[in-house]
Amino acid sequence: MSRKYALATVAVATLALVSVAGVASSAGAATSPPVPLTTSPPPTPTVTPCPPALPLAGMVVGTTTTTVTIRYSLTFRPPCGYDLPITVHLFATREDAEMWHNPVASADTGLESYGSVVVEGLTPDTEYWFRFSDAKGRRDPYVLGGPARTQAVAAPVCAATATIGSGWGSGFVATVTVRNTGTETLDGWQVAWTWPGDQRIQSLWNGTPTEAGSAVTVRDAGWNARLAPGGTTTFGLLASTTSVPEGFTLACGR
């Protein structure tokens, strides 16, 4: 047998063995059972339990003729409570408050969890009910407070009139009469007005003046503070000006 023939025979035998091994490997892979895939269930989300308490509380702590002051306390923040600032809504009737219908005024708190908020621009001697919402517009379903009544406007206890006695190019003299219009003795009074132009007080007698720009307040001098019903007293002033006014409107009170 020649050398070339022997090498060819070996090569054919080697290819045959490789083919048989490949077929056997393919057959074995086809008959092997599939390996099952295992997956873990998704984690159960953690739910934070909310305590059995109101997340927000409020109460009226003061009123004036045109304001209501409400003290609030935010106990919980989300998810059990609300986001600051809290808005206080006022309603004219309880029915409107229950339905969140037609709020007549509102005011926002600060970013503190507790404090007070003043709602302004109200009508004297009027009842209001209040409710809360938060910075994201969520309405608190629990708190419905009221009624809170604004104070009535007090009846005038005195009246004041001014008489300009003499005037010249740079000033004038005026006398103001204060009269007790009430039914009880007036113990202390004050008169206020706003100058219509550039007028300023140079001197004043029988009273104690305070000026803030064009606004003037004159209080009694102490010895003339008490006025019986119907009683009167006067104070006088010397004012500088570039134009003598025909008069000025006065407001009198305690």
Side-chain angles (χ1 to χ4, degrees):
M1 180 182 296
S2 68
R3 178 179 176 82
K4 291 182 177 180
Y5 179 79
L7 291 173
T9 303
V10 171
V12 170
T14 301
L15 289 173
L17 288 173
V18 170
S19 300
V20 171
V23 171
S25 177
S26 299
T31 57
S32 298
V35 178
L37 298 176
T38 59
T39 59
S40 301
T44 303
T46 302
V47 178
T48 302
C50 293
L54 291 179
L56 179 64
M59 63 182 297
V60 175
V61 294
T63 63
T64 68
T65 56
T66 58
T67 67
V68 168
T69 301
I70 296 173
R71 183 175 297 157
Y72 69 93
S73 177
L74 182 64
T75 307
F76 304 116
R77 302 293 293 274
C80 297
Y82 302 109
D83 287 312
L84 290 165
I86 299 299
T87 301
V88 181
H89 305 268
L90 292 191
F91 301 84
T93 67
R94 182 181 180 88
E95 291 74 17
D96 283 349
E98 291 173 347
M99 301 298 294
W100 284 87
H101 176 69
N102 191 30
V104 297
S106 64
D108 293 333
T109 70
L111 297 179
E112 301 80 16
S113 295
Y114 60 90
S116 298
V117 58
V118 180
V119 187
E120 301 177 328
L122 307 180
T123 303
D125 197 22
T126 303
E127 288 185 342
Y128 295 94
W129 283 256
F130 69 88
R131 302 202 72 171
F132 296 120
S133 68
D134 77 347
K136 293 185 177 179
R138 291 174 293 194
R139 295 173 174 178
D140 175 74
Y142 306 108
V143 178
L144 196 166
R149 180 177 288 276
T150 51
Q151 298 178 24
V153 177
V157 294
C158 61
T161 56
T163 302
I164 297 177
S166 60
W168 54 95
S170 60
F172 63 93
V173 175
T175 300
V176 177
T177 301
V178 180
R179 182 170 60 89
N180 181 355
T181 59
T183 58
E184 299 179 356
T185 297
L186 182 60
D187 191 3
W189 51 264
Q190 65 178 19
V191 177
W193 70 89
T194 300
W195 290 121
D198 64 349
Q199 296 81 17
R200 294 294 182 270
I201 293 176
Q202 297 301 302
S203 62
L204 187 141
W205 49 96
N206 296 343
T208 304
T210 301
E211 287 187 284
S214 60
V216 182
T217 301
V218 178
R219 291 176 173 81
D220 61 77
W223 58 266
N224 58 355
R226 290 179 62 87
L227 293 176
T232 63
T233 188
T234 62
F235 64 87
L237 60 91
L238 169 64
S240 63
T241 184
T242 58
S243 177
V244 179
E246 295 182 359
F248 42 97
T249 303
L250 308 175
C252 187
R254 293 183 187 276

